[in-house]
Amino acid sequence: MYVNAVRFLDDLHTLRSFGASGVGKGVVRPAYSEADMEARVWLAGRMRDAGLRVEMDAMGNLFGLAEGPSLLMGSHSDSQPEGGWLDGALGVVAALEVARASREAGGPAISVVSFQDEEGRFGVTTGSAVWSGHLDQTSADRLCDHVGVTLGEAREVIGGLVTGPVDPAQFTGFVELHIEQGPTLDTSGEQIGVVSDIVGIRDMKITFDGQQNHAGTTPMHLRRDAFQAVSAFNAELDARFRNVVTPATVWTIGHLSLHPNASSIVPGRAVFSMQWRDGDGGRLVRMEEIIRALADEIAKARGMRVQFGQMLGLEPVRMDARLRALLEQGAQAVAPDNWRLMPSGALHDATNVSRLMPVAMLFVPSIGGISHAFAEDTDEADLVAGVKVLGAAVSAL
Ligand code: HGY
Ligand code: MN
Ligand code: MN
């Protein structure tokens, strides 16, 4: 099979033009934004050019389908509010190239997917969560982004493009190429990572309600300042986790909104995102207990109310042994003794898809280990190597 590196890189750079941030190679292409929808329309055209039948489900997951049973490949083309050009996009465009190359070589049938809202404007990997049955459409539609728009409202923009549900039974498996998004391969100098497992995740909003008041006249000892509660919670959390977490466990408060967010007002309400990830589902549960107990304790001590939002999450998953072995053989052929087996600390659509069929994943290095930032990048030789490994694996099917 001949993987066309020029055609692949050309498509990848064209996809970057949708929502280009103007800062480095970054993109701003959140789910259902104008840039995201324009990118999906362009991708649909490239799928048709590749001889694939285009379908879009009600979530906006975009499929390019081969005839008959096929191997599904792809990832997502939505981005974080500030995202890199490769997170998700690489896997989608690589899948497109492998589908074309395999067809030209008379190889196995390959279908392509770009899932919607992998980056969780509304939750955690929302598009593939609904497609896989992990989340029902009605519950998904009620999820809100950080400014109060519901998914149900946001997905109205896809109206005319929807063709209907896409039956997973036609796919024999799913393979996703992605950038590593961490420092492991860049530090070791290895070109390819074959994924062993994907970590599990929990994500919920926490709200402290105190008392909004005047910032000049309210004595410090009488304040019920919601930001002070968040600050105390954050300062204490690491110590409470100490005997539970490992060096591989991560936790993040990435979004905080204060009400009414004004210099001269003691904030009465603080809403923040609490997210934690680990490869051990039991540890995720213990961390949740600690989080809830600490937030309750802080609210009580400060005369506040605490509310916990809907718990979103995915369990850790193991990659399929057979598909993984094919990727390992491909890695050894393309980058002899210059690849490794490794877990994924980032979440991926493959986690949801593993409910439906065997899945496997492949990584290429991220320069400086940077991702979810405009500065995200990968050497083009490494990007092409990743596509070649996919090509080799498909040839060996
Ligand atoms: O956050 C994640 O791991 C993924 O990029 N959505
Ligand atoms: Mn991604
Ligand atoms: Mn991402």
Side-chain angles (χ1 to χ4, degrees), residues 80 87 118-120 125 181 201 275 277 345-348 372:
Q80 287 285 335
D87 180 354
E118 192 277 347
E119 297 292 11
T125 60
Q181 308 185 273
I201 189 171
Q275 185 190 90
R277 309 185 190 206
L347 261 296
H348 297 289
H372 285 187

Side-chain angles (χ1 to χ4, degrees), residues 40-64:
R40 274 169 209 276
V41 169
W42 173 79
L43 274 169
R46 293 305 278 155
M47 288 169 169
R48 269 184 220 106
D49 294 344
L52 301 168
R53 190 176 78 254
V54 172
E55 296 204 6
M56 186 181 276
D57 70 12
M59 273 296 291
N61 296 314
L62 173 69
F63 292 82

